[in-house]
Amino acid sequence: MRRAVFFDRDGVINIDHGFVGNIIDFDFIKGVKQSLSIIKKASFITVLVTNQSGIARGYYTEADFKKLSLFMQSELDLYDARFDLILYCPHHPQALLPEYRCDCPCRKPKPGMILKASALLDIDLSQSIMIGDRASDLMAAKSAGVKTSVLLADNTSKEIEKVPFASVFPDLATYVDSMRNIFKKN
């Protein structure tokens, strides 16, 4: 079994402008590409697990999301930092579009995407890490059995009090820099 780092997308990988579904709205957070490269070189599998209720709300389509994901992956390729797997949940219980209206087991804080990734890629969840910017990201990981939870937030975030079990860092680059002993090259 292999170790993985799971990531939420908006607010962790890119600036969360609200329902980011098009390339024009996608801006990488400073240091993310380099940080992902360091994690990959340390032989961690990288998995993106992202709720995409903007699809269910009709703000953008699954095709838009997939096009954006291809763009993101091509940019990450320049740093040898491509995600090994991207999973997304397009559903929402109050979706505007009926075909996406459901209480999906993959929508965080439920652990469905993480469990699916674990099965697909033979991931040891007890040796893995979840990095998110919302309590729901970390609750999903904890439910799935992920050992380490990292919340990316500032000191004023209300998310911090919801996940007392999480380590808190301002951004991915700061976390990776502070954890160089874990992310050493194998």
Side-chain angles (χ1 to χ4, degrees):
M1 296 188 87
R2 303 182 292 173
R3 304 177 300 173
V5 181
F6 295 91
F7 299 87
D8 178 47
R9 193 190 75 179
D10 300 330
V12 174
I13 303 302
N14 59 285
I15 297 170
D16 188 353
H17 296 298
F19 302 107
V20 178
N22 295 295
I23 293 169
I24 195 165
D25 300 321
F26 189 89
D27 298 303
F28 280 100
I29 294 173
K30 183 180 178 188
V32 161
K33 296 172 190 175
Q34 298 84 350
S35 297
L36 288 171
S37 179
I38 290 166
I39 291 168
K40 299 267 305 174
K41 287 176 183 162
S43 299
F44 279 83
I45 294 169
T46 56
V47 180
L48 190 72
V49 288
T50 177
N51 288 346
Q52 289 295 314
S53 69
I55 296 168
R57 298 168 195 264
Y59 297 149
Y60 49 91
T61 66
E62 285 191 73
D64 293 331
F65 173 80
K66 290 174 183 175
K67 182 178 177 182
L68 174 54
S69 294
L70 287 172
F71 165 78
M72 177 185 67
Q73 291 282 65
S74 69
E75 291 291 308
L76 292 174
D77 276 340
L78 300 173
Y79 293 81
D80 294 322
R82 168 184 281 267
F83 286 104
D84 294 297
L85 181 63
I86 296 175
L87 296 174
Y88 68 100
C89 178
H91 303 105
H92 193 277
Q94 290 87 38
L96 179 65
L97 302 175
E99 62 269 32
Y100 294 108
R101 191 178 308 131
C102 70
D103 189 17
C104 182
C106 289
R107 182 170 172 74
K108 295 178 287 179
K110 295 180 182 171
M113 286 187 282
I114 295 168
L115 295 172
K116 180 177 181 178
S118 176
L120 288 172
L121 299 177
D122 193 33
I123 294 169
D124 182 350
L125 295 173
S126 70
Q127 297 301 310
S128 295
I129 301 166
M130 175 70 202
I131 302 174
D133 68 328
R134 301 203 186 274
S136 59
D137 300 324
L138 307 182
M139 289 175 193
K142 187 172 184 177
S143 294
V146 173
K147 177 183 175 184
T148 303
S149 294
V150 178
L151 179 69
L152 302 184
D154 63 29
N155 291 330
T156 63
S157 175
K158 297 191 185 302
E159 299 296 304
I160 294 172
E161 62 196 41
K162 298 176 189 174
V163 286
F165 54 88
S167 299
V168 181
F169 290 86
D171 54 48
L172 182 59
T174 303
Y175 169 67
V176 169
D177 189 52
S178 71
M179 302 304 286
R180 288 277 181 174
N181 59 325
I182 291 176
F183 299 120
K184 287 187 277 188
K185 272 188 172 179
N186 285 347

